[in-house]
Amino acid sequence: MGLFKLKGFPGTGSFPHGIHPPDNKALSANMTVEVMATPRTVTLPLLQHLGVPCKQIVTSGETVSYGQMVGKGEAFVSASIHSPIAGKVKKNAMVTLPNGRRLEAITIQAEGEQTPSEKIWEEMKFTQWPRHGFSNYEPMDIVKKIQASGIVGLGGAAFPTHVKVMPNDTRAIDTLIVNGCECEPYLSCDYRLMIEAPGAIVTGALLTARAVSAREIVICVEDNKPEAIRRLQHAAKQTVVRVAVLKTKYPQGSEKQLVKAVIGLEIPLGGLPADAGVAVSNVQTVATVARSIIKGAPLTHRVISVSGRGICNPKNIFVPIGVSLAEVVDFCGGLRPDAVRIISGGPMMGFAFSDLSAPVTKGTSGLTVLTRDEVDKGAEETHCVRCGRCVDACPMNLVPTRLALAARYKNPELASQYHIRACVECGCCSYVCPAKLNLVQLIREGKVQVNAWERR
Amino acid sequence: MADQPTATERFVQGILPENPVYRQLLGLCATLAVTNGMKPALTMAVCVAFVLVCANVVISLIRNLLKPHLRIVVFTLTIATFVTVADRVLAAYMFQMSKTLGPYIPLIIVNCLIICRCEVCASKQNVVIAAADALGQSIGFGLALASIAAIREILGTGMLMGFRVLPSFWPDWVIMVLPPGAFITLGLLLGLVNYIDFKREQTRN
Amino acid sequence: MSLKNSNLVQAWLVLLLATLFGTALAGIQAKLGPVIEANKVKETMAKIPVLVLGEDLSAELAADNQSLTIKSRVIDVKKNGITKFYTVYDVWLPEGKMVGHVVKADGQGYADKIELLVGLDAQGKHITGLFVLDQKETPGLGAKIMEDAWRGQFKEKSTEKTLSVVKGGGAKEDEIDAISGATISSRSVTGIVNTTVANVASQLQVTDNPASNSKTPAVQTEDPGKNKEHS
Amino acid sequence: MMISLGIAGASMLVMAIIFSYVLGWANKKFMVEVEPKIEAVRDALPGANCGGCGYIGCSDYAVAIVADNVPVNKCTVGGEACAKAIADIMGVEVGDVVPLHAIVNCNAPLSSRLGRTQYMGEQRCASAQQVAGVQACTFGCLGYGDCVLACNYDAIHILDGLARVDYKKCIGCGACTKVCPRGIISIEGFREDIIPVVACSNKDKAKDAKAACENACVGCKACAKASDLFTISDNLSKCSYDNYSAQKHEEAVKAMEKCPTGCIHFMGAPVE
Amino acid sequence: MDYFVDILLIALSASIINNFIFYYFVGICPFVGVSKKVDMAFGMGCAVTFVMSIAAFLSWGITVFVLIPGAPVSAFIAGFFTTPEAAAQIDLTVLSYIVYIFAIASSVQFVEMYVKKFFPPLYRSFGVFLPLITTNCAILFACLTIMSHVAGVDNPKEVWDLGKAMTLALFGGLGFTIAIVIMAGIREELELCDIPKPFEGAAITLVIGGIIAIAFMGFTGVDSGVKKALKPVPHVSQVQEQPQRVALLNTKDCKGVIMP
Amino acid sequence: MSNTNRQIDSAMSPEDRPGRKPPFIHVAPSPHISDSRAGTRRMMVDVILGLSPAIAVSLYLFRFYALKQLIVCVAACLAAEYLFARMRGKYFTLKDCSAMVTGIILGLSMPGSAPWFVGALASVVGIGIGKIIFGGVGMNIFNPAMVGRAFVMIAFAQLMGAGAYENVTGLVDAVSGATPLSALKFNGVQTGIAPLFMGVTNGSVGEVSAIACILGGLYLIYRKTASWQIPASILITVALIAAITDIAGGYQGLFLLHHLFAGALMFGAFFIATDPVTSPLTAKGKMIFGVGTGCLIMVIRLFSGYPEGVMFAVLIMNAMTPLINRWTIPQPMGQREV
């Protein structure tokens, strides 16, 4: 591990432990981003981000235009929602998101003239994104604009971006890391974005850096994406943006691991990257930031990848947020008969779900459909033999088997002794476990137990 | 709460339902240490019985004179006296046995069984009940000791009470008469007793 | 502090019981003490006739209702600055002829201390018998040093030569066959015997006419070692 | 001989004097006040340490009774006899001891639940709760039996994918309530042998609720019209037990008959 | 030097080789009862060690000064009534059990009251174990062991002094602590195991105790080995021995070397 | 919300739709893929493969005696596992091969001359008291094979101890005569290093050849079925202590090599101590475990009455493992800076 030294950066280009799952990105990596037509209805859950739900500001029967704010994030840690289509607001519906959350959602039926999605995508792709002259922008203005555009982290966690880039006097940020690792197997949306719209990414990075007053800007890409690296390097010429090539390893895209790999610092437990003087943002997020600042467009669309052997035509699609996943699947030619598991996100950290009426949300990075062969490969579950493979795999340096058993036998005291809260639920332990234990699920359960135990 | 059990009930309780070894886990030191043969086990049981009965009776007689902070002191004083008596008598009339049992005779003093019965029963009940309780508990203790000793001696030496019971080609499991054998035998027997209980409970429902 | 609340008055029961029990125990000790002492002495003494005379002779003696005269003394041997004490029992026939000595010796065995009685003839030239008083060797292995067959090997060995332990055989004059699987125990016992003989044999003389005799009937008693498993 | 006896007795006496003096002195000097009542109450409690009273264990409850004048009737294991014994010690009146039992507020056997998908993770409710789409109803019983494992009295079982309480064994300790990740088990006082129960927890609107389960409460207010025992809130009917009595039984039966989805039941001792 | 070797051997023997629990079976009740949590077990171990030291101190003093024949105190008192020779013969060892247990019970109770009054946090953490210790065989066993090395020993050189007595107590207590902490560690682990219901609790604890006792048997003879290494016994005459044949399966490879 | 199956139906590709059932969708927690190469059974098979050189050497050297021990132990272990698992109401436990591994290790650690009932009893005790009573595979605190062997070692000291090997009137020449370690301990005889390394000395059937154990052990480490930390730290500790003794005694390195290659050290370090179930979880814990085992082995070899101490040392360290785990809870990433 130590042999690999990242040129020009304090970090080693990698982090201790971790795993190498087969990435299966070839399924969709070479598919150019397609644009999905405006859907008949969109369903916009009021909570698509981490934090407080936003407040609905339109009423049933009201007509809304493209990009109009329909939900306002009033709290600090919250994000507004904008309509991706022009249409009429219908009665609110209840939806169950793939992550299990049951929410109220604004339903909008398309009506009147629409702004075609193709236009938005072309804008992203072909605009001559500015490289210089950002000193005109006040950091606070950028932050306000980001907040007004309802931008959240598009890597999957959906943390409101304006909170992240809010200038902070106590914790100066000197590096902005733009995360283009996309370590999840199957997913390729960020890869496609980096290839097709590197300009937006570089501009977005510069703008975000301006907001947080970071001196250093690093775009991190794993070394299994040479094409993306080339394009980014080309786009970043004559700017302060640098491209760091990291070793391919899962979970390289996790914030803490990424910071460790690039800067060599560890983010304190329970802390934010800002505690290490770093801000981390996804490539798609910064591209959206660029669009929001330069073009004044809110976050209404995003690139997702639909992949896996269970889907007929794996694709990368530019979709309006709020379109139902069933439509997305239909767009990709439907499911194959041997498909058994539909996952929102990648196979390592995504959520399996069964209800395709759920909408695409800001945090949906993709849809992976696995077949029976891929899922049933493992043998039946046996008892943990304490082989310690999960310990070797855990990027957080935890003892997953102990955490899982503590949860299974309801021992929150033991679980907190073993630092259960530090777990990032990346799934490395379950992946390597020879006993096929559902370690991550148990640990998640353990966290609930620990919380209850500490409240007592 | 419920009525206090009578003397007879106390007596019967001690033998099996509240067996000091298997149910209350009392007096384990002696149980483990002297059960490598039937003879020492039975001698031990008799000594314990003697001390328990005498101590229970004496404590019961003076139960109204006890002061709380001096209670334990009086108990131990009484018990220790009778143990010394038993020890001396054994040394005088069964010298070899006394040597075999070694320090485990004086250790009867701190046998939790006795102090527990003094505390639980004798210091609250009249003499008859205390004596009956002591007798019942001693018989229960003796039975437990005998059961463990029988298994250990038979497996360990092929003999019981010095008579060969297993055929001579039996390879003696020396471990059974050594400390580990004691632990394992008692552990397994305890499991067995719990298992039988379990089954009985299940059939009752 | 009023008298009633005084600590001692409160504890009158303890004081009374303590005194009572103390006295009673002393009484019991006064009654049983001698018996116990006798038991202790008897344990050693009962072995002496067999060790010195052999089983047949001592049985004969017992049948005749005759008794040996036994006198004990302590020999201290100084070697390399360390003083070692040996209790030696000199044994005389009823008619006053010295027949031998029994030496009480101890040393480290495999598990714990081993206590031995070594019988020597009157001149201290030959070993007449060996008895293990106390041992805590492994049952089934080292504990076999107590068995007659193994102990018997020491009989008639000369004290001139140092005994050595060999495996399988033990045919030679100065060799002792090891117990299979318990070489250390065998060697410990042999070592103790060797040391004892080396230290004591030279200090034994034939003396007749015992001065003050402690007599013990040469009655064969049951082998006390039988029940001496360690617990 | 006599001297020996004397010395023995004397030395014992001296020793006893020393020790008992020191102990007596220490007893006074180091006296720490312990309320004897606490000990008495603790002895009177059954010692199951089940936590049913809401305290950490029996001794914690004993302290609370003595120190904070907490009602003496909270021990469900010991029941009335225990409450009476404690009341005697404390010199207070026993409050009304209503036997407590667990109620499962869901009545959908596996076949009635719609949108149930095969679930391949850890077979326990708390784990299944984390995964979306195990079944369409996000309120109802998951049926993996966390409550069965939690019950120390063998009083709750999973039958046909639904937790059911054995009222002969249930003592209302509340262990099942604590482990149920969906919080559908409640502990109620049973003033009668059987009481009406709205066996549904689905707070969705009628359409969504119907889509999730055949037996769901749709909040139609039919029961509320039939009896004032029932009130509707959040699209869900709720039964109030505070003024339930045998007289109200008839009303409850009527409400049960009115319910279109059949989610009102009588629970408690078997009716037959 | 020899004295320190003796002390070392006593310490080794008491703590590991002849462990109070695994070899002598004393202190089993707390071993089974208070070994559920490592912290509690450690507290119990400390309490036992502490009380054992106090008890050893008292019992050694009482034995030496009061009980054994010719002990100063009893001889002095008896001196008033009888001749000095007769006084020196007075043997009060029959009182030993009663005196020891008296001393243990009193000191335990005293310590308990003291700690309860003045160190409430300490009392909460380990004071609850103190009453249990009164009936802990390990303490009395330590006293009896000390007595057997003080009273009735033929060779005056082998009579234990206070240092040796305290060593036995301290390291006996240490051995007890080691045993109970190991067991508590294992029992915490057992919470994550699927033990058959009848074996839960005491039964499995005893079986594990048995397995550890087997393992501890591996130490048999370590004390004599150490003794041999540290304290060459001068009076054992050299035993001439024949080198033993080492079995080699292929005789031409036989290169057995006799060690110098 | 509408019926899920209907939704999936509509989402199926048009060509699949007519006459076909919609796909049956599972839900499961993340992650949804797992490493198909790893498996409990595979680990056990690896151990058997790793043991094969030692088995081969034992069969070559001891012929019938090794075969007998292996057959008796494996058969008894499987039977005991089946029986006890049945008693507990579990039926599938034979499939994971763990009982087989226990049987083979037990068989290899027996002296060739031991009668059949010794191996059988060891197997029953090992599986019963060493494993099933704790709940079966993965939950045992002690190495089952060593529990069984230690039990019979104490129970039948004469058939298992040093005596088993030096039975002069013995079966054949191959199994009579002392083992290298007992010869060293009791007679001060050192065996040559080459025969020790190649394994043409006497001893338990599987332990004699150091080279076979090293080969098998390296395979296990390569497969990551055994961690390298344990054997490495055991061997280094033993070598260090032996070296100190060596220098003190002036044996010119022979003593050190003798201790490394003689007895069950290699076998124990690679196959017994590395049992994942009974050794600590973390790398640091494994190091501590190995150092402890090494120290205990040397203490027992040098001072106690037993010539060999691997078995006892491993058992004692097994007992310590929960404590070691407790002491070596790793600091999670990010903890250190705070």
Side-chain angles (χ1 to χ4, degrees), chain F residues 36-253:
Chain F
S36 54
R37 288 162 299 173
T40 312
R41 191 188 148 85
R42 179 65 222 249
M43 288 177 74
M44 297 298 167
V45 172
D46 271 344
V47 176
I48 296 174
L49 284 177
L51 282 167
S52 50
I55 298 175
V57 169
S58 73
L59 288 178
Y60 171 70
L61 288 179
F62 297 94
R63 309 279 155 101
F64 169 70
Y65 298 100
L67 192 65
K68 184 186 81 175
Q69 295 302 345
L70 280 171
I71 288 177
V72 165
C73 289
V74 171
C77 274
L78 292 179
E81 173 91 14
Y82 179 73
L83 204 76
F84 288 130
R86 278 289 296 258
M87 276 164 74
R88 295 218 52 200
K90 296 177 178 174
Y91 293 87
F92 57 88
T93 50
L94 280 183
K95 268 194 285 180
D96 61 20
C97 292
S98 62
M100 176 108 91
V101 170
T102 305
I104 293 176
I105 292 182
L106 199 49
L108 290 180
S109 65
M110 288 279 162
S113 65
W116 64 271
F117 58 80
V118 175
L121 181 67
S123 307
V124 172
V125 168
I127 295 288
I129 294 180
K131 187 166 141 197
I132 298 291
I133 204 171
F134 293 101
V137 64
M139 296 190 242
N140 43 320
I141 303 289
F142 299 95
N143 188 321
M146 287 304 102
V147 170
R149 190 180 190 273
F151 189 89
V152 290
M153 173 91 186
I154 310 285
F156 308 114
Q158 213 172 340
L159 301 172
M160 288 289 297
Y165 305 99
E166 49 194 60
N167 182 4
V168 263
T169 55
L171 306 143
V172 290
D173 222 27
V175 284
S176 48
T179 60
L181 278 174
S182 55
L184 175 70
K185 177 144 209 136
F186 301 128
N187 299 78
V189 178
Q190 256 192 2
T191 319
I193 302 305
L196 280 178
F197 189 68
M198 297 311 293
V200 284
T201 55
N202 196 2
S204 299
V205 294
E207 71 182 26
V208 289
S209 171
I211 179 80
C213 295
I214 293 173
L215 280 179
L218 290 180
Y219 170 74
L220 287 191
I221 290 170
Y222 164 74
R223 287 283 311 165
K224 291 197 179 159
T225 296
S227 52
W228 60 270
Q229 287 99 340
I230 294 177
S233 51
I234 292 180
L235 295 180
I236 290 173
T237 312
V238 167
L240 267 180
I241 298 177
I244 293 167
T245 328
D246 203 334
I247 292 164
Y251 301 122
Q252 284 130 29

Side-chain angles (χ1 to χ4, degrees), chain B residues 33 36 62 65-67 69-70 73-74 77-78 81 84-85 88-89 91-93 95-96 99-100 104 174 178, chain C residues 10-14 17-18 21 25 28-29 32 35-36 39-40 43 133 138-140 224 227-231:
Chain B
N36 55 356
I62 59 172
L65 306 172
L66 294 172
K67 296 275 184 303
H69 69 283
L70 296 170
V73 174
V74 171
L77 206 56
T78 317
T81 307
T84 315
V85 172
R88 295 288 101 178
V89 170
Y93 300 112
F95 186 68
Q96 276 314 318
K99 262 188 96 173
T100 309
Y104 296 103
V174 179
L178 293 177
Chain C
Q10 289 235 327
W12 67 269
L13 182 67
V14 179
L17 283 178
F21 287 156
L25 285 184
I28 287 172
Q29 174 67 8
L32 295 180
V35 184
I36 296 167
N39 278 339
K40 278 186 191 161
E43 192 193 5
L133 270 182
T138 324
N227 288 322
K228 231 181 301 157
E229 292 151 334
H230 99 106
S231 44

Side-chain angles (χ1 to χ4, degrees), chain A residues 102 341 408 438 441 445, chain D residues 119 122 124 127 130 204:
Chain A
R102 192 163 173 74
R341 200 169 288 172
R408 183 180 274 178
N438 293 305
Q441 191 183 22
E445 199 188 321
Chain D
Y119 161 67
E122 192 73 10
R124 293 190 306 157
S127 308
Q130 300 167 4
D204 278 347

Side-chain angles (χ1 to χ4, degrees), chain E residues 40-88:
Chain E
M40 269 174 58
F42 187 71
M44 183 71 190
C46 291
V48 165
T49 312
F50 179 66
V51 174
M52 205 181 267
S53 309
I54 293 183
F57 179 77
L58 285 177
S59 64
W60 184 86
I62 293 171
T63 316
V64 168
F65 292 109
V66 184
L67 297 183
I68 55 169
V73 175
S74 52
F76 176 74
I77 301 173
F80 292 111
F81 306 102
T82 177
T83 58
E85 290 77 30

Side-chain angles (χ1 to χ4, degrees), chain A residues 159 163-164 171-177 254-260 263 265-281:
Chain A
F159 188 73
V163 181
K164 228 186 235 180
R171 290 176 300 196
I173 287 172
D174 49 36
T175 312
L176 171 73
I177 296 179
S254 158
E255 228 166 51
K256 298 181 183 215
Q257 275 65 38
L258 192 61
V259 172
K260 172 84 183 167
I263 314 286
L265 290 179
E266 290 180 7
I267 301 170
L269 277 191
L272 292 168
D275 294 323
V278 182
V280 182
S281 211

